Amino acid sequence: MKANRIARVESFLQEEFGNLIQKIGKNTFPGVLISVTAVKITPDLSIARIYLSVFPFEKHKEVKLYLDENYVAIKQEAAKLVGKHLRIMPELHFLIDDAFEKEAEIDKLLKEGGENPIK
């Protein structure tokens, strides 16, 4: 039962933070696509880890710095969105999800390698 609740909360937070982060991205970082790839929350609902994908990836440091510097305002805005659904607003940890960047790098290396080096 607890696992279902946590999964529902994570899904709900991912949707709400997705909308909020896209709004922030559109207003603050024109030409940069920021999306929430996942939200993981602790079992006691006190900490939410929000994984973000940034395209182009080169802008990820700027985005992370902005989110960290504006943490209080972002958390207050998020609290307005989720306040009716959660008793306490979890602490937010913004993390950059670089899986797509790593995948592109591996793909590039494979294409540059030509033939399969393992024979």
Side-chain angles (χ1 to χ4, degrees):
M1 187 59 121
K2 273 190 172 187
N4 281 344
R5 174 164 165 66
I6 289 173
R8 282 194 322 264
V9 169
E10 287 174 343
S11 177
F12 170 73
L13 289 176
Q14 183 172 354
E15 184 177 333
E16 293 299 325
F17 277 109
N19 294 333
L20 178 61
I21 295 295
Q22 281 184 352
K23 187 171 86 173
I24 290 170
K26 193 184 314 179
N27 296 334
T28 311
F29 300 100
V32 177
L33 177 63
I34 307 168
S35 59
V36 176
T37 57
V39 173
K40 299 295 179 193
I41 196 159
T42 56
D44 64 356
L45 306 179
S46 65
I47 299 172
R49 290 177 184 83
I50 301 157
Y51 294 87
L52 304 170
S53 174
V54 179
F55 184 81
F57 187 73
E58 294 76 37
K59 298 284 187 178
H60 78 279
K61 289 182 182 177
E62 287 178 52
V63 170
K64 176 79 165 96
L65 183 63
Y66 177 85
L67 294 172
D68 290 343
E69 288 177 349
N70 295 285
Y71 175 82
V72 173
I74 293 169
K75 186 173 179 178
Q76 287 174 345
E77 187 66 28
K80 291 177 190 173
L81 297 172
V82 302
K84 295 177 183 173
H85 303 281
L86 295 175
R87 227 177 331 164
I88 332 171
M89 182 65 193
E91 181 182 328
L92 308 176
H93 292 209
F94 295 105
L95 304 163
I96 301 298
D97 184 356
D98 60 353
F100 295 116
E101 183 65 20
K102 286 181 181 178
E103 181 182 332
E105 186 178 323
I106 290 170
D107 194 37
K108 179 183 168 194
L109 290 172
L110 290 173
K111 286 179 182 177
E112 286 175 359
E115 290 185 31
N116 186 356
I118 301 173
K119 287 190 176 188

